[in-house]
Amino acid sequence: MVGLLSAMNRKLLRDLWRLRAQALAIALVIASGAALLITSLTTEEALRDTTDAYYERNRLANVFASLTRAPQRLIHRIETIPGVRQAETRIVDLATVDFADFPEPVSARIVSLPTHGNPVLNRIVLRAGRLPEQGREDEAVLGERFAASHGIALGGSVSVLMEGRKRTVTVVGIALSPEFIYLIGPGAIMPDDERYGVLWMNREVMEGAYDMKNAFNEVSLTLTRGTDPEPVIDALDTLLARYGGAGAYGRDLQLSNRFVQNEIEQQHTMAITLPAIFMAVAAFLTNMIMGRVIAMEREEIGLFKAFGYSTAAVGWHYLKMVLAITGLGILVGAAVGSWLGRFNMTLYAEVFQFPFLVYRPGPQAYAIAALVCVAATVGGSAVALRRAVQLPPAEAMRPPAPPIYKRTRFSTSAFARWMDEPTRMILRRLARWPLQTGFSLLGIALSLAVLVLAMQWGDSVDKMIEDQFFRASHQDATVSLFEAAPLNVLNDAAALPGVMVVEGQRGVTARIRYRNIARRQGIIGRMDGATLSPLHDAKKGPLPVPRGGVAISTTMADILGIRRGDTVTLEILEGRRPVVQVPVVEVFETYIDTPIVMHLDTLSDLMLESPQINTLLVRVDPAFKAEFLAALKEMPKIGSVGFRQAVIDMFYATVDKNLNVFIGIFTVFSCTLAFGVIYNTLRIALAERSRELATLRVLGFGRGEISYILLGETGILAVAAVPVGILCGAILSWYIAEQFATELFRIPLIIRHQTAGLATVIILATVIVCALIVRRRLDHLDLIAVLKTRE
Amino acid sequence: MNFQRLVMLLQSDAGTEIERATGPGGDRRAVALSARGLTKTYVMGEVEVRALVDVDLDLFEGEFVVLLGPSGSGKSTLLNILGGLDVPTTGEVLFRGQDIDGQSSAALTRYRRNHVGFVFQFYNLIPSLTARENVALVTEIARDPYAPEEALSLVGLGERLNHFPAQLSGGEQQRVAIARAIAKRPDILLCDEPTGALDSETGMLVLEALERVNRELGTTTAVITHNAVIAEMADRTCRLADGRIVSIDRNETRKSSREMTW
């Protein structure tokens, strides 16, 4: 019995070797799906592990709050809020930093370090050097990338403009912080290490500079295990209200963490959606090839049964074939997936600032991938396997009944009469097995769809940029002021060299509330006739800034569950901290963030103030840019300056690096998918038709003519798959965009004609390559053998 | 003998080289196909199989030749080489004086397309095409074909034009194959066991069709068979054994297919 079984296994190995090209094509599709799944799962795991470890080791706070100024002794009352484990205060502010050879003003967040060394919460990781010595007013620790982007090493110096006073400090340490894994400046949408960074200094220095002796303007809390942060946040808000509290928020809303969590979620979405497509195709391919193998081995199956092999033994024999192919796919997929996961993390390490990367994928990701692959292929081959084992031996040893063709209404039509016989053969065959035809078509279409999905990301990014920087805003530079100033600051700004147009707007921190849902969100106050930065709807274009209410973005409207005409509660968290009821007068669509816009007059009225602005929007004559920057650097009230072009360049630099790599990887995967489907379709067509094709060769048909019959079928499928593929691509892109939409970003669905065209060309090129490979086999058809055997 | 065809052949370029030979019966007919010194050796692993050994054979214009012999005697190898499906190891096949084997694969394809009609034991019809369409497959690429309907009525299938192979009996399928082979007006019709898969009654119908094609169209016909009875309807019978021609006999009187029984 052992001898017989090993004979079966030898047969299995030889069968696999005979089918190696087809088996490999399927294994590669499985490998692509497994690789995608493993990449996403391990990246998700690694991102989660890395952030968790980082947060844990460096005690990232659970709750954060900023305020205008509170006495240090308030800390004792904060510590008594139920659920608070530790609380720590600090002084944080924005400052302008001057790097000698960088022409633009650079802003930085200055964070105080306690006198005794590293903070208890939000501890920094020193990458080089040391913390400032106690009492030293001229020492600072610089954020790692901030220092690197300006070429500042330990011992280098920078000048910092704090509350109008310029002081030169020596860099004694280079550091990272769990608070600033993803660091973006106020109003920016991307990190820009050259123009915005972090600086840590001794608390005494900052107490002096900002008039904060025995006071603080930020507090961070950790909570005892299992504490719900919401009641703590409420209690903290109550406590800080009279000190100008700008609304406490949990770790989930901490900006850097929000971006990281967002990325983790996207990896999760990725892990679910895309591998599913590959697995579906793998299932179909396995079904196709096993169906063929079993059809060809009918007689042998009958023979095995006649010898006394059980149904289960026969089933297991063919199942082993499926498992061998799947196993190969899983192995290749695991190797590629691990490599891609690691590579993915190095890409994240360029965007996110981690002091270390935990990439130690556990067995779970691989186990899930293996399970999914096996389920797909075994499920896919189930029908074929069942047919094999259920065949009675006597029937199995007889050849199958020939396929019955029928003349359809189409064959008798005038159009059909004009057709030549080879074309008729192609069409009859396609029509004879509509399910197989449909699946092959769908397989090619899905490869195209995956490619369209990957390639349209570039289109969406372009659309986002166009909307954000060219339609919604027309200023060259956005200058934020340290504090709100009366409107006549516009006259000062207009007098700066090179300024052609200047407009102002006001941003205030507020909380918007509707029924029991509240969100902390800045409100932008816009002036009448704002042309540089109008109220812009992504679909409808510029809208007038309405008076007497708020205009909110659709995403915010969805979060709060409100519509135009509803009344919301606004708690302004600055100035006199009014709490007012205002109607929603406009809802507008944006791709980035969840902005709330009001007319400046309405906002000022609510705040019981005369109109003030804290942001200047400027159009600058490019010829005078240097003079403009020099003048700006000397102005004391300037917080930060963002140049539109710099942001766009930065955006594209980041996007190009990451996106192009992924488009490349997806192109390879899509081509693998297309190759798997087309190559197998062709090989099976060849196997099923080699008799016909050889007969035609005998009858005097040339190689080109029989190639037409074999390849024409795939050609028709491929061409028919193009519109289906583009449609599937659009649906898939829409689905992914919906899944990836967050409060921070919504990806617009745009597929340019060029993108669809290029994707089509790539897939059709894959079809042609497959066709050329298979066509070579036509040259070796055995013309004599087919004449001697019954079909 | 089709006189017109002979004149046509004589007028063609190749015609000048047509060998005038004397048949076994002493009559003078033009040679359509001539094999000289054919040897075919198959190397199968370490074993050499000599399928043909130094075979000389002429097929005369319009004659009906039966190749008889047991399995493995080399009949099919000979027929395949004559039809341009296979090339000999040594020796040559001259069609109208031109060597067909010294040429490219494309030239062999043209030779099959323009001059040779094949009929096989297992019909080799295209299952996705109807009877008419199976014939049209060949007439579409031929130079001066019959209409498919005409070819099918020659084999008595004028009524079953629109049937698919699966809807036809074995004999009918074989007659479609004959119609397909003759529709291009081939110079040579090569049949490998055309009745091998048929019962005697249907086999008879097929033989009738072949006989009629040979008689009415003057197509040079070579038929391989196991069945010695069929030899009675031939002009000549060529017996093979172990890759050699052992005898060539001429029938003084050809029997009609109707007179035969087996």
Side-chain angles (χ1 to χ4, degrees), chain A residues 227 397 693:
Chain A
T227 303
M397 287 198 286
L693 296 174

Side-chain angles (χ1 to χ4, degrees), chain B residues 131-207:
Chain B
R132 185 217 308 262
E133 289 159 356
N134 260 288
V135 179
L137 196 59
V138 165
T139 60
E140 276 169 6
I141 59 166
R143 290 187 300 197
D144 174 30
Y146 294 108
E149 295 79 3
E150 211 179 330
L152 282 164
S153 38
L154 267 172
V155 294
L157 282 177
E159 303 299 308
R160 315 216 66 180
L161 295 174
N162 292 328
H163 287 66
F164 285 96
Q167 298 165 318
L168 297 170
S169 72
E172 285 171 329
Q173 288 188 54
Q174 190 60 297
R175 282 186 285 157
V176 174
I178 295 171
R180 185 175 68 180
I182 59 159
K184 67 166 97 159
R185 302 182 201 262
D187 299 298
I188 298 155
L189 184 61
L190 302 176
C191 312
D192 194 346
E193 301 270 10
T195 57
L198 302 172
D199 59 68
S200 68
E201 214 166 308
T202 24
M204 207 75 84
L205 287 173
V206 167
L207 290 177

Side-chain angles (χ1 to χ4, degrees), chain A residues 403-407 419-422 424-425 428 691-692 695-703 705 783-784 786-790, chain B residues 76 80 85-86 105 109 112-113 118 120 122 124 126-130 133 136-138 140-141 162 164 166-167 180 184 192 197:
Chain A
I404 309 285
Y405 286 88
K406 288 204 177 76
R407 273 158 68 86
M419 224 176 344
D420 62 5
E421 301 313 319
R424 211 186 299 274
M425 285 170 70
R428 287 243 168 90
R691 183 184 165 82
E692 271 178 37
T695 303
L696 291 176
R697 290 280 286 132
V698 168
L699 293 179
F701 278 71
R703 283 191 194 127
E705 286 158 326
L783 302 193
I784 294 161
V786 297
L787 307 176
K788 280 285 158 195
T789 51
R790 187 183 281 278
Chain B
S76 291
N80 290 338
L85 290 177
D86 204 349
S105 141
T109 303
R112 293 199 298 269
R113 177 187 288 210
F118 287 100
F120 310 105
F122 300 114
N124 288 67
I126 307 295
S128 61
L129 297 179
T130 60
E133 289 159 356
L137 196 59
V138 165
E140 276 169 6
I141 59 166
N162 292 328
F164 285 96
Q167 298 165 318
R180 185 175 68 180
K184 67 166 97 159
D192 194 346

Side-chain angles (χ1 to χ4, degrees), chain B residues 38-42 49-55 73-75 77-79 81 88 240 242-244:
Chain B
L38 289 188
T39 302
K40 180 74 184 180
T41 311
Y42 294 104
V49 179
R50 292 169 56 130
L52 286 181
V53 186
D54 196 22
V55 169
S73 60
K75 318 181 289 283
T77 307
L78 177 60
L79 200 75
I81 291 173
L240 283 97
D242 300 325
R244 297 170 201 272

Side-chain angles (χ1 to χ4, degrees), chain B:
Chain B
M1 178 64 201
N2 186 329
F3 181 70
Q4 269 182 325
R5 174 170 295 250
L6 178 60
V7 171
M8 203 178 73
L9 283 171
L10 288 169
Q11 282 168 346
S12 71
D13 291 344
T16 53
E17 290 180 41
I18 287 180
E19 190 183 345
R20 296 218 152 242
T22 308
D27 67 339
R28 291 175 69 81
R29 287 185 174 193
V31 175
L33 201 58
S34 166
R36 286 291 172 272
L38 289 188
T39 302
K40 180 74 184 180
T41 311
Y42 294 104
V43 181
M44 301 174 100
E46 292 168 9
V47 187
E48 274 199 359
V49 179
R50 292 169 56 130
L52 286 181
V53 186
D54 196 22
V55 169
D56 293 341
L57 180 68
D58 291 316
L59 295 184
F60 297 95
E61 291 283 353
E63 77 168 336
F64 194 118
V65 175
V66 164
L67 302 175
L68 270 179
S71 284
S73 60
K75 318 181 289 283
S76 291
T77 307
L78 177 60
L79 200 75
N80 290 338
I81 291 173
L82 294 179
L85 290 177
D86 204 349
V87 286
T89 312
T90 60
E92 57 180 11
V93 176
L94 298 172
F95 172 69
R96 294 181 182 169
Q98 288 200 341
D99 183 3
I100 62 162
D101 295 320
Q103 298 176 28
S104 65
S105 141
L108 276 181
T109 303
R110 272 199 305 280
Y111 167 66
R112 293 199 298 269
R113 177 187 288 210
N114 296 328
H115 304 291
V116 188
F118 287 100
V119 176
F120 310 105
Q121 181 178 6
F122 300 114
Y123 336 130
N124 288 67
L125 296 179
I126 307 295
S128 61
L129 297 179
T130 60
R132 185 217 308 262
E133 289 159 356
N134 260 288
V135 179
L137 196 59
V138 165
T139 60
E140 276 169 6
I141 59 166
R143 290 187 300 197
D144 174 30
Y146 294 108
E149 295 79 3
E150 211 179 330
L152 282 164
S153 38
L154 267 172
V155 294
L157 282 177
E159 303 299 308
R160 315 216 66 180
L161 295 174
N162 292 328
H163 287 66
F164 285 96
Q167 298 165 318
L168 297 170
S169 72
E172 285 171 329
Q173 288 188 54
Q174 190 60 297
R175 282 186 285 157
V176 174
I178 295 171
R180 185 175 68 180
I182 59 159
K184 67 166 97 159
R185 302 182 201 262
D187 299 298
I188 298 155
L189 184 61
L190 302 176
C191 312
D192 194 346
E193 301 270 10
T195 57
L198 302 172
D199 59 68
S200 68
E201 214 166 308
T202 24
M204 207 75 84
L205 287 173
V206 167
L207 290 177
E208 247 180 67
L210 287 176
E211 188 180 39
R212 189 170 167 203
V213 166
N214 174 253
R215 195 178 58 236
E216 294 180 9
L217 307 179
T219 309
T220 309
T221 306
V223 177
I224 284 183
T225 182
H226 273 99
N227 190 341
V229 179
I230 295 174
E232 295 172 21
M233 61 185 278
D235 290 314
R236 287 190 294 156
T237 308
C238 175
R239 284 173 202 277
L240 283 97
D242 300 325
R244 297 170 201 272
I245 293 179
V246 291
S247 69
I248 298 179
D249 304 317
R250 185 179 171 78
N251 271 341
E252 289 312 321
T253 48
R254 272 174 69 176
K255 266 193 184 169
S256 147
S257 55
R258 280 163 215 263
E259 302 168 54
M260 292 185 298
T261 46
W262 75 83

